[in-house]
mmCIF file of all heavy atoms in Angstrom:
data_model
loop_
_atom_site.group_PDB
_atom_site.id
_atom_site.type_symbol
_atom_site.label_atom_id
_atom_site.label_comp_id
_atom_site.label_asym_id
_atom_site.label_seq_id
_atom_site.Cartn_x
_atom_site.Cartn_y
_atom_site.Cartn_z
ATOM 1 N N THR A 153 9.363 -5.239 3.218
ATOM 2 C CA THR A 153 10.351 -4.186 3.454
ATOM 3 C C THR A 153 9.687 -2.843 3.169
ATOM 4 O O THR A 153 8.633 -2.770 2.527
ATOM 5 C CB THR A 153 11.575 -4.354 2.544
ATOM 6 O OG1 THR A 153 11.155 -4.290 1.162
ATOM 7 C CG2 THR A 153 12.279 -5.687 2.806
ATOM 8 N N LEU A 156 9.062 -2.120 -0.643
ATOM 9 C CA LEU A 156 7.987 -2.905 -1.255
ATOM 10 C C LEU A 156 6.632 -2.494 -0.693
ATOM 11 O O LEU A 156 5.638 -2.429 -1.429
ATOM 12 C CB LEU A 156 8.218 -4.401 -1.028
ATOM 13 C CG LEU A 156 7.265 -5.337 -1.792
ATOM 14 C CD1 LEU A 156 7.377 -5.104 -3.297
ATOM 15 C CD2 LEU A 156 7.553 -6.802 -1.467
ATOM 16 N N TRP A 201 16.528 -15.812 -2.385
ATOM 17 C CA TRP A 201 15.434 -15.909 -3.350
ATOM 18 C C TRP A 201 14.778 -17.275 -3.241
ATOM 19 O O TRP A 201 15.452 -18.288 -3.058
ATOM 20 C CB TRP A 201 15.949 -15.728 -4.777
ATOM 21 C CG TRP A 201 16.260 -14.321 -5.171
ATOM 22 C CD1 TRP A 201 17.464 -13.685 -5.066
ATOM 23 C CD2 TRP A 201 15.365 -13.371 -5.748
ATOM 24 N NE1 TRP A 201 17.370 -12.404 -5.535
ATOM 25 C CE2 TRP A 201 16.090 -12.181 -5.966
ATOM 26 C CE3 TRP A 201 14.013 -13.414 -6.100
ATOM 27 C CZ2 TRP A 201 15.504 -11.048 -6.526
ATOM 28 C CZ3 TRP A 201 13.430 -12.280 -6.656
ATOM 29 C CH2 TRP A 201 14.174 -11.113 -6.863
ATOM 30 N N TYR A 230 9.215 -15.747 -8.267
ATOM 31 C CA TYR A 230 10.403 -15.800 -7.413
ATOM 32 C C TYR A 230 10.303 -14.660 -6.413
ATOM 33 O O TYR A 230 10.138 -13.503 -6.793
ATOM 34 C CB TYR A 230 11.674 -15.680 -8.256
ATOM 35 C CG TYR A 230 12.005 -16.942 -9.022
ATOM 36 C CD1 TYR A 230 11.404 -17.217 -10.249
ATOM 37 C CD2 TYR A 230 12.922 -17.863 -8.516
ATOM 38 C CE1 TYR A 230 11.705 -18.381 -10.952
ATOM 39 C CE2 TYR A 230 13.225 -19.024 -9.209
ATOM 40 C CZ TYR A 230 12.615 -19.276 -10.419
ATOM 41 O OH TYR A 230 12.908 -20.433 -11.114
ATOM 42 N N TRP A 231 10.366 -15.017 -5.128
ATOM 43 C CA TRP A 231 10.253 -14.032 -4.060
ATOM 44 C C TRP A 231 11.611 -13.832 -3.387
ATOM 45 O O TRP A 231 12.276 -14.804 -3.016
ATOM 46 C CB TRP A 231 9.245 -14.501 -3.015
ATOM 47 C CG TRP A 231 7.808 -14.423 -3.458
ATOM 48 C CD1 TRP A 231 7.334 -14.417 -4.744
ATOM 49 C CD2 TRP A 231 6.651 -14.345 -2.610
ATOM 50 N NE1 TRP A 231 5.971 -14.339 -4.757
ATOM 51 C CE2 TRP A 231 5.524 -14.302 -3.459
ATOM 52 C CE3 TRP A 231 6.472 -14.315 -1.230
ATOM 53 C CZ2 TRP A 231 4.222 -14.222 -2.965
ATOM 54 C CZ3 TRP A 231 5.170 -14.235 -0.734
ATOM 55 C CH2 TRP A 231 4.069 -14.188 -1.591
ATOM 56 N N LYS A 232 11.975 -12.571 -3.215
ATOM 57 C CA LYS A 232 13.222 -12.227 -2.527
ATOM 58 C C LYS A 232 12.897 -11.780 -1.099
ATOM 59 O O LYS A 232 12.108 -10.869 -0.889
ATOM 60 C CB LYS A 232 13.946 -11.092 -3.262
ATOM 61 C CG LYS A 232 15.240 -10.643 -2.579
ATOM 62 C CD LYS A 232 15.833 -9.427 -3.282
ATOM 63 C CE LYS A 232 17.083 -8.919 -2.573
ATOM 64 N NZ LYS A 232 17.604 -7.690 -3.210
ATOM 65 N N PHE A 233 13.534 -12.456 -0.138
ATOM 66 C CA PHE A 233 13.355 -12.107 1.268
ATOM 67 C C PHE A 233 14.645 -11.530 1.838
ATOM 68 O O PHE A 233 15.735 -12.055 1.567
ATOM 69 C CB PHE A 233 12.958 -13.339 2.089
ATOM 70 C CG PHE A 233 11.563 -13.830 1.836
ATOM 71 C CD1 PHE A 233 11.320 -14.799 0.871
ATOM 72 C CD2 PHE A 233 10.490 -13.326 2.556
ATOM 73 C CE1 PHE A 233 10.034 -15.276 0.635
ATOM 74 C CE2 PHE A 233 9.195 -13.796 2.330
ATOM 75 C CZ PHE A 233 8.967 -14.766 1.369
ATOM 76 N N LEU A 241 11.608 -10.468 5.647
ATOM 77 C CA LEU A 241 10.672 -9.526 5.049
ATOM 78 C C LEU A 241 10.727 -9.664 3.536
ATOM 79 O O LEU A 241 11.815 -9.714 2.946
ATOM 80 C CB LEU A 241 11.017 -8.092 5.449
ATOM 81 C CG LEU A 241 10.989 -7.754 6.945
ATOM 82 C CD1 LEU A 241 11.433 -6.308 7.170
ATOM 83 C CD2 LEU A 241 9.594 -7.983 7.538
ATOM 84 N N LEU A 242 9.576 -9.727 2.906
ATOM 85 C CA LEU A 242 9.521 -9.809 1.449
ATOM 86 C C LEU A 242 9.977 -8.486 0.854
ATOM 87 O O LEU A 242 9.463 -7.427 1.220
ATOM 88 C CB LEU A 242 8.093 -10.137 0.998
ATOM 89 C CG LEU A 242 7.888 -10.295 -0.511
ATOM 90 C CD1 LEU A 242 8.727 -11.440 -1.066
ATOM 91 C CD2 LEU A 242 6.401 -10.522 -0.822
ATOM 92 N N ASP A 243 10.924 -8.564 -0.079
ATOM 93 C CA ASP A 243 11.517 -7.351 -0.633
ATOM 94 C C ASP A 243 11.238 -7.165 -2.120
ATOM 95 O O ASP A 243 11.262 -6.044 -2.623
ATOM 96 C CB ASP A 243 13.031 -7.382 -0.405
ATOM 97 C CG ASP A 243 13.736 -6.122 -0.856
ATOM 98 O OD1 ASP A 243 13.346 -5.031 -0.386
ATOM 99 O OD2 ASP A 243 14.674 -6.223 -1.678
ATOM 100 N N GLU A 244 10.960 -8.269 -2.825
ATOM 101 C CA GLU A 244 10.749 -8.160 -4.267
ATOM 102 C C GLU A 244 10.042 -9.413 -4.771
ATOM 103 O O GLU A 244 10.234 -10.506 -4.237
ATOM 104 C CB GLU A 244 12.091 -8.006 -4.987
ATOM 105 C CG GLU A 244 11.999 -7.739 -6.473
ATOM 106 C CD GLU A 244 13.361 -7.527 -7.138
ATOM 107 O OE1 GLU A 244 14.367 -7.436 -6.404
ATOM 108 O OE2 GLU A 244 13.399 -7.473 -8.380
ATOM 109 N N VAL A 245 9.218 -9.238 -5.814
ATOM 110 C CA VAL A 245 8.554 -10.364 -6.471
ATOM 111 C C VAL A 245 8.801 -10.260 -7.962
ATOM 112 O O VAL A 245 8.558 -9.214 -8.566
ATOM 113 C CB VAL A 245 7.030 -10.359 -6.200
ATOM 114 C CG1 VAL A 245 6.348 -11.479 -7.000
ATOM 115 C CG2 VAL A 245 6.731 -10.529 -4.717
ATOM 116 N N ARG A 246 9.307 -11.356 -8.542
ATOM 117 C CA ARG A 246 9.528 -11.396 -9.987
ATOM 118 C C ARG A 246 8.765 -12.569 -10.586
ATOM 119 O O ARG A 246 8.658 -13.628 -9.982
ATOM 120 C CB ARG A 246 11.015 -11.540 -10.316
ATOM 121 C CG ARG A 246 11.863 -10.333 -9.959
ATOM 122 C CD ARG A 246 13.284 -10.511 -10.460
ATOM 123 N NE ARG A 246 14.171 -9.461 -9.964
ATOM 124 C CZ ARG A 246 15.475 -9.403 -10.248
ATOM 125 N NH1 ARG A 246 16.031 -10.340 -11.020
ATOM 126 N NH2 ARG A 246 16.217 -8.424 -9.749
#
Side-chain angles (χ1 to χ4, degrees):
T153 60
L156 188 59
W201 283 92
Y230 285 83
W231 287 23
K232 178 186 177 184
F233 289 92
L241 299 177
L242 182 61
D243 184 56
E244 186 177 352
V245 175
R246 292 186 188 179

